[in-house]
Amino acid sequence: MDSKKKKEEDTKKSEIFASCSFSALGLHSTLCNQLQERLGFEAPTLVQAQAIPVILSGRHALVNAATGTGKTVAYLAPIIHHLQSYTPKIDRDNGTFALVLVPTRELCLQVYEILQKLLHRFHWIVPGYIMGGENRSKEKARLRKGISILVATPGRLLDHLKNTASFVHTNLRWIIFDEADRILELGFGKEIEDILDLLGSRQIGSVGKGNQVSSLPIFQRQNLLLSATLNEKVNHLAKISLENPVTIGLDDKKIQPEQSVDCIGTVESDEDDGLEYRKVTTSSTGDYKLPAQLVQRYVKVPCGSRLAVLFSIIKHLFEREASRKIVVFFSTCDAVDFHYALLSEFRWSPNSQSEAENTERFLKCNILRLHGSMKQEDRRTTFQAFKTEKSALLLSTDVAARGLDFPKVRCIIQYDSPGEATEYVHRVGRTARLGEKGDSLLFLQPIEVDYLQDLEKHGVSLTEYPILKVLGSFPLYGQVYRAKKFASLDLHPWVLYLQRALESFILAEPSMNKLAQNAFCSWVRAYTAHRGELKRIFMVKKLHLGHVSRSFGLKQQPSLVGQSFQTQSKKRKREGKQKGLSRKRKANRKT
Ligand SMILES: Nc1ncnc2c1ncn2[C@@H]1O[C@H](COP(=O)(O)OP(=O)(O)OP(=O)(O)O)[C@@H](O)[C@H]1O
């Protein structure tokens, strides 16, 4: 390696990793060995170097650091450090000492897997998880046996707190909210407050709640909140769950002690022992932290050409580099199902003269899908598969947007726009993790480009993707159509031919046609669900439903599809009433 390259590498490393070792942070040597041997971590990341000593000290903490910077180990390592040091050694009868609350099932499994690795040499500390979609009786049995560090989704945890008498949590010392803002966005606010009440952890001061196992010391509660993005709701949660917390990772732009206008709930600490104690005011217009090496672009596509352009870009990316991982985000489960079926089955050879010659799969890559309406077992299989695959395309709802750590994802495509800027940040955060390369591409219709200004307000700026150049790389009947000739994507021959082929393919397959109609309906519903300021940008009134139909490869008149939209929406409402759907679930239905 030449010296310039080495210097660059060193600079890059120093922007991610601290110059100290894990043991210098005060962690037990066996744990440091586990970090190295089981996880391959040589040195702590910057956020770990900041957070571990604070968390070891027992202080409550609010940790705000960019996606993929190692927040998980930042809280797990200090907990394990403490638990392994207790004498007498803890055992399963002592019940749960640490509770990690996460928004999704996949994140639950991910944290659990890391715990398993870290606890390899501490067999007396038992990790476990409970989450929606799993068998309650089996979970009850596991809780009865005792779980020292429990990872949970909030709804299921509350269920067990209320209904599982054998769940021992009298020794609880830590409550961690990982992806705190997402937990709240999903509408779990009430559950969280109930959980804090049931655990006697609201407003703290609840040190040593009476029933501790007598041989163990009385523990001071320590609560931790972590997220790459903060919002008003997190401030509220911080207020009701953290006592005199230390804030880690909040940069100066976000910390404006004198400003109170945007401050909703101030987390304050007036102690000064050399650690970073600050008054925090997170403003809703503050900027978000994104990995510096992430290349962010947008592509402006007229609605009717969206489908053809998406297919072309994915094809282009895999043809340029066959071995790569890409995630495409959609707004609804139905949209994922439709695009999954179509991308997997669509056959078209751009140079064939007749339909009979269209035997070749348009996309040859491995395609996976993930969303909240899938069976738990299928979700688990996809999650594991995408982790281990070297090359694959994952189509997903926002269920994959938070916290998931899929190695080596090179590109994130946001086909349906994310809505809140926080969601944008977390979606793109699935790539460019821990200093790795990463690209992101946001699809926008010409009527939606004001969204770029909304992102700008949060310090997120994107450049335009050279779509005409990409389309120009596809020969059609031996001819290459050069970029400059086509002012609009709609008129590009490649797009026109591909769109026609997609529409014929869908029309010929009744099941595909049905999937397309369902996807269309739920897409329109999701579009109408944009909130607040964003309603001004994503205005359903501005949509041309005929063009939206085209974007699902449908030739039908929008009014026909519109009828089925109404029927479906009535049906869902009826079902919702029958099931007594909570506000939370309604908010959650997109994922
Ligand atoms: N000290 C370290 N050395 C090397 N790799 C690390 C280190 N700490 C974490 N990692 C790796 O970095 C990646 C990101 O870590 P993690 O998932 O904890 O990030 P995060 O900050 O929680 O991200 P997000 O905000 O998306 O949830 C993981 O693959 C993890 O294994």
Side-chain angles (χ1 to χ4, degrees):
M1 195 187 297
D2 65 36
S3 66
K4 196 174 156 218
K5 250 194 169 165
K6 184 168 179 331
K7 218 172 161 187
E8 275 173 16
E9 284 275 299
D10 289 347
T11 316
K12 206 173 117 188
K13 261 192 167 173
S14 69
E15 283 164 7
I16 298 159
F17 295 101
S19 50
C20 61
S21 63
F22 278 108
S23 59
L25 300 176
L27 294 174
H28 188 269
S29 57
T30 312
L31 180 54
C32 297
N33 288 344
Q34 294 302 282
L35 283 162
Q36 194 176 4
E37 285 165 20
R38 299 266 147 195
L39 295 177
F41 297 180
E42 302 285 340
T45 63
L46 290 175
V47 69
Q48 288 162 357
Q50 266 189 296
I52 288 172
V54 173
I55 299 174
L56 280 175
S57 79
R59 295 282 307 264
H60 290 236
L62 177 63
V63 183
N64 172 235
T67 48
T69 49
K71 292 188 283 297
T72 318
V73 158
Y75 67 80
L76 288 182
I79 293 172
I80 296 170
H81 169 90
H82 279 301
L83 282 179
Q84 61 78 35
S85 72
Y86 290 165
T87 43
K89 275 194 169 89
I90 63 165
D91 65 33
R92 298 189 79 157
D93 290 343
N94 300 147
T96 298
F97 288 83
L99 196 55
V100 181
L101 281 161
V102 293
T104 63
R105 299 171 191 181
E106 285 72 20
L107 191 51
C108 199
L109 292 175
Q110 183 174 293
V111 174
Y112 172 70
E113 279 172 18
I114 298 169
L115 262 176
Q116 278 185 310
K117 288 184 185 154
L118 286 176
L119 290 173
H120 191 72
R121 298 271 296 277
F122 306 109
H123 57 87
W124 63 98
I125 307 173
V126 180
Y129 66 87
I130 53 174
M131 62 186 195
E134 291 285 305
N135 182 313
R136 271 192 187 74
S137 329
K138 284 189 186 157
E139 287 184 348
K140 269 178 191 271
R142 291 209 302 266
L143 286 170
R144 191 178 313 119
K145 278 192 185 165
I147 296 175
S148 325
I149 305 179
L150 180 64
V151 194
T153 52
R156 185 54 66 94
L157 173 69
L158 189 59
D159 185 341
H160 283 294
L161 281 174
K162 287 179 175 167
N163 303 313
T164 305
S166 55
F167 176 15
V168 177
H169 47 80
T170 43
N171 289 306
L172 191 72
R173 177 169 174 188
W174 294 274
I175 303 181
I176 296 102
F177 297 95
D178 196 349
E179 305 292 347
D181 59 336
R182 184 60 180 163
I183 295 177
L184 298 171
E185 273 162 28
L186 286 174
F188 285 118
K190 175 79 176 69
E191 278 86 346
I192 294 298
E193 295 201 9
D194 289 352
I195 288 167
L196 288 172
D197 285 338
L198 282 166
L199 296 174
S201 204
R202 194 202 271 254
Q203 292 289 1
I204 319 307
S206 55
V207 178
K209 290 290 289 179
N211 297 338
Q212 274 92 356
V213 174
S214 56
S215 56
L216 290 168
I218 289 181
F219 302 116
Q220 172 112 25
R221 286 281 171 85
Q222 184 182 15
N223 295 348
L224 311 169
L225 252 75
L226 301 101
S227 183
T229 52
L230 299 177
N231 60 22
E232 298 145 25
K233 285 181 178 162
V234 179
N235 265 339
H236 173 68
L237 180 57
K239 219 167 132 182
I240 64 166
S241 66
L242 303 183
E243 188 180 75
N244 199 19
V246 179
T247 63
I248 295 157
L250 291 171
D251 61 28
D252 290 334
K253 281 183 200 146
K254 281 198 173 174
I255 301 162
Q256 305 152 24
E258 302 313 318
Q259 191 196 55
S260 58
V261 182
D262 290 323
C263 164
I264 316 228
T266 304
V267 183
E268 200 174 354
S269 171
D270 48 13
E271 289 186 40
D272 186 5
D273 61 7
L275 293 168
E276 198 186 11
Y277 298 144
R278 285 169 173 174
K279 186 182 243 186
V280 190
T281 58
T282 44
S283 112
S284 54
T285 54
D287 54 353
Y288 294 124
K289 293 172 181 178
L290 285 154
Q293 74 284 9
L294 173 69
V295 179
Q296 302 176 77
R297 287 191 279 208
Y298 70 93
V299 58
K300 198 163 61 176
V301 189
C303 189
S305 303
R306 273 164 50 81
L307 189 63
V309 171
L310 174 71
F311 273 54
S312 308
I313 290 176
I314 296 174
K315 189 175 177 61
H316 170 76
L317 291 174
F318 277 104
E319 280 179 359
R320 218 177 50 178
E321 193 182 322
S323 182
R324 60 156 71 217
K325 287 204 300 204
I326 298 175
V327 183
V328 186
F329 282 104
F330 296 89
S331 59
T332 69
C333 306
D334 287 335
V336 170
D337 285 341
F338 162 64
H339 290 93
Y340 171 77
L342 189 60
L343 279 160
S344 308
E345 289 171 34
F346 181 53
R347 282 159 204 280
W348 183 56
S349 309
N351 300 317
S352 63
Q353 298 299 330
S354 71
E355 295 227 341
E357 288 176 45
N358 285 333
T359 50
E360 205 175 305
R361 259 185 74 187
F362 184 76
L363 268 186
K364 297 190 183 75
C365 62
N366 178 13
I367 306 172
L368 301 163
R369 73 187 166 128
L370 186 67
H371 63 67
S373 300
M374 286 164 60
K375 280 195 209 132
Q376 181 56 31
E377 205 35 53
D378 296 340
R379 273 173 80 163
R380 196 190 286 252
T381 311
T382 300
F383 172 64
Q384 294 300 354
F386 195 60
K387 270 194 150 187
T388 46
E389 288 292 349
K390 287 216 160 46
S391 172
L393 173 69
L394 175 69
L395 313 182
S396 181
T397 58
D398 277 333
V399 79
R402 292 294 182 122
L404 297 192
D405 184 51
F406 297 115
K408 306 267 174 223
V409 171
R410 270 294 269 115
C411 181
I412 301 296
I413 299 178
Q414 307 200 43
Y415 183 60
D416 291 334
S417 47
E420 301 293 325
T422 47
E423 229 34 60
Y424 173 91
V425 169
H426 286 280
R427 283 176 168 190
V428 297
R430 297 316 100 210
T431 187
R433 294 173 76 72
L434 213 70
E436 296 221 331
K437 277 191 199 162
D439 296 312
S440 71
L441 180 62
L442 172 68
F443 270 67
L444 288 174
Q445 297 180 43
I447 53 167
E448 300 169 337
V449 286
D450 282 356
Y451 186 61
L452 294 174
Q453 288 167 14
D454 193 71
L455 290 176
E456 281 276 355
K457 278 195 232 159
H458 297 276
V460 179
S461 51
L462 284 66
T463 55
E464 192 158 4
Y465 182 78
I467 183 62
L468 285 173
K469 201 169 151 201
V470 169
L471 296 176
S473 67
F474 295 112
L476 198 58
Y477 304 112
Q479 196 178 341
V480 169
Y481 293 87
R482 290 279 164 230
K484 280 184 195 143
K485 279 202 275 180
F486 303 96
S488 163
L489 286 181
D490 280 338
L491 303 174
H492 196 290
W494 169 267
V495 174
L496 285 171
Y497 275 82
L498 178 54
Q499 178 69 25
R500 206 175 302 154
L502 284 163
E503 286 177 8
S504 307
F505 185 82
I506 290 165
L507 193 66
E509 299 273 335
S511 60
M512 196 66 79
N513 204 46
K514 185 85 192 83
L515 284 172
Q517 291 193 21
N518 291 346
F520 169 85
C521 294
S522 56
W523 188 89
V524 176
R525 254 198 309 275
Y527 205 87
T528 56
H530 282 289
R531 284 171 291 172
E533 265 287 284
L534 295 174
K535 257 192 159 31
R536 188 185 53 80
I537 301 168
F538 301 102
M539 276 174 80
V540 81
K541 268 197 280 182
K542 282 201 240 162
L543 289 175
H544 184 306
L545 288 181
H547 295 173
V548 179
S549 308
R550 267 175 62 95
S551 74
F552 290 92
L554 289 167
K555 288 182 176 175
Q556 291 106 315
Q557 292 299 302
S559 57
L560 282 177
V561 185
Q563 275 179 12
S564 95
F565 162 60
Q566 280 174 5
T567 326
Q568 272 215 7
S569 120
K570 276 186 197 154
K571 191 173 150 220
R572 286 202 187 193
K573 263 192 195 158
R574 262 203 318 275
E575 284 171 0
K577 271 192 189 155
Q578 278 163 9
K579 287 183 195 159
L581 273 185
S582 64
R583 233 163 31 106
K584 174 201 85 193
R585 292 212 181 113
K586 280 182 193 159
N588 207 359
R589 72 185 167 202
K590 281 200 325 184
T591 55

